[in-house]
């Protein structure tokens, strides 16, 4: 800065002394480019709110933050991000994120990004399932349903029922809403239901009504395992059947 000013002064002086024409005096007087408003920076928005550190970390690990920023600069329809706060991540079963592959981590983040900008009132007329960046909204994959009543916006994945707790940012192009839960997609979390999480609910619930027959449940192959793990698999299989049945019921 100082250097540049000195340089400029010096060249000005030079010009004066030599009585040169302006051509030589055109030193690169680099004035800082006026910062264009540009698309929003989703990471900066989340940082400013101070309670999305887990999400920021996940977005950094998966490079999804950069991707969202790039898409905001190029996509015309905008994006909507459902941002679970740190407390939502903290209430996940221990190890939930660590058990995921890199691809699954990316998909988890993508599942929180709707492929269009939505103002809060627009959720009233949204048609379900709502497309997310994770893709396939078919049953068992990445379906996401949004229902609005009064001022409440509910989001359901078939595994998670969440609600929007606040609006963090909206500019007509990017909307960031805080949600009270991490939205768990069926594609990633269904076939291996964490038994301890399902157990208390089963115990508390009344005997399940007759469930709709479940379509083609993924069945573990127990032909080549020993007796003790076969037992474990059978229990797991029972849990999977229950989970699939419950989901089938959910979608009926
Ligand atoms: C977005 O904000 C983050 C955090 O403030 C910063 O590290 C990053 O460089 C910014 N990205 C762009 C493209 O400005
Ligand atoms: C949203 O969920 C809450 C609690 O789960 C429920 O009481 C409310 O009726 C739901 N609202 C809508 C519009 O689905
Ligand atoms: C989510 O809400 C639906 C409808 O209100 C309900 O049937 C389902 O049991 C809920 N699921 C969870 C995991 O709370
Ligand atoms: C289980 O293994 C048998 C024999 O290897 C095979 O024929 C069958 O298709 C397998 N079933 C599943 C569901 O993978």
């Amino acid at each position: 800065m100082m250097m540049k000013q000195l340089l400029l002064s010096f060249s000005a002086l030079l010009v004066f002394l030599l009585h040169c024409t302006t051509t030589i005096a055109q030193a690169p007087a680099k004035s800082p480019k006026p910062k264009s408003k540009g698309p929003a920076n989703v990471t900066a928005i989340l940082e400013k709110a101070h309670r999305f550190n887990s999400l920021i970390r996940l977005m950094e690990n998966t490079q999804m933050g950069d991707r969202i920023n790039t898409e905001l600069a190029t996509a015309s329809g905008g994006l909507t991000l459902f941002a679970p706060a740190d407390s939502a991540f903290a209430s996940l079963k221990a190890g939930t994120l660590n058990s995921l592959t890199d691809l699954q981590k990316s998909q988890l983040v993508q599942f929180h990004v709707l492929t269009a900008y939505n103002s809060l009132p627009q959720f009233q007329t949204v048609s379900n399932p709502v497309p997310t960046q994770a893709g396939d909204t078919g049953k068992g994959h990445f379906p996401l349903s949004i229902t609005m009543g009064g001022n409440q916006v509910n989001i359901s994945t078939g595994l998670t029922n969440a609600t929007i707790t606040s609006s963090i940012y909206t500019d007509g192009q990017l909307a960031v809403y805080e949600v009270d839960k991490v939205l768990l997609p069926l594609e990633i979390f269904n076939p291996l239901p964490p038994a301890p999480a399902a157990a208390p609910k089963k115990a508390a619930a009344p005997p399940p009504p007759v469930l709709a027959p479940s379509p083609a449940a993924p069945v573990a192959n127990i032909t080549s395992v020993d007796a003790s793990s076969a037992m474990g698999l059978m229990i797991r299989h029972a849990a999977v059947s229950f989970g699939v049945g419950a989901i089938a019921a959910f979608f009926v």
Side-chain angles (χ1 to χ4, degrees):
M1 200 57 163
M2 203 70 160
M3 205 56 183
K4 195 158 284 168
Q5 275 171 354
L6 279 175
L7 213 66
L8 282 174
S9 309
F10 179 70
S11 49
L13 187 64
L14 210 64
V15 168
F16 176 72
L17 286 177
L18 298 177
H19 300 281
C20 275
T21 52
T22 53
T23 39
I24 296 172
Q26 295 301 331
K30 214 175 99 205
S31 64
K33 231 193 206 159
K35 241 182 215 142
S36 65
K37 184 78 163 55
N41 178 339
V42 73
T43 316
I45 289 165
L46 291 172
E47 272 178 358
K48 213 171 137 200
H50 296 299
R51 58 177 183 281
F52 297 105
N53 299 311
S54 304
L55 179 61
I56 291 168
R57 220 174 303 128
L58 188 59
M59 288 170 78
E60 274 170 3
N61 288 346
T62 55
Q63 270 116 52
M64 284 301 300
D66 293 341
R67 206 180 128 179
I68 290 172
N69 285 336
T70 306
E71 282 168 358
L72 281 173
T74 55
S76 53
L79 296 171
T80 300
L81 170 67
F82 291 133
D86 290 335
S87 54
F89 278 96
S91 68
L92 286 177
K93 193 172 165 291
T96 300
L97 289 188
N98 290 339
S99 70
L100 301 182
T101 64
D102 288 345
L103 173 65
Q104 288 172 326
K105 283 179 189 167
S106 296
Q107 288 175 325
L108 180 61
V109 176
Q110 289 171 317
F111 191 52
H112 287 72
V113 183
L114 306 186
T115 56
Y117 171 83
N118 286 274
S119 66
L120 278 174
Q122 280 174 312
F123 286 125
Q124 215 132 29
T125 53
V126 86
S127 68
N128 291 315
V130 181
T132 73
Q133 288 195 333
D136 194 346
T137 57
K139 289 181 189 183
H141 297 286
F142 295 100
L144 191 74
S145 299
I146 300 176
T147 52
M148 185 171 184
N151 279 331
Q152 186 161 32
V153 180
N154 288 352
I155 304 161
S156 176
T157 72
L159 288 175
T160 309
N161 290 337
T163 189
I164 291 180
T165 49
S166 69
S167 173
I168 303 296
Y169 178 89
T170 56
D171 67 2
Q173 193 64 20
L174 171 67
V176 180
Y177 301 113
E178 179 175 356
V179 291
D180 63 345
K181 301 219 178 69
V182 179
L183 306 174
L184 302 180
L186 283 163
E187 165 95 11
I188 297 175
F189 293 95
N190 181 43
L192 306 161
K201 206 184 296 161
K202 259 195 281 183
V210 180
L211 297 168
S214 52
V219 175
N221 210 330
I222 56 173
T223 48
S224 66
V225 289
D226 64 45
S228 64
S229 48
M231 191 59 178
L233 275 172
M234 279 166 71
I235 291 166
R236 172 116 46 94
H237 182 194
V240 170
S241 301
F242 177 84
V244 171
I247 287 140
F250 178 81
F251 279 108
V252 164

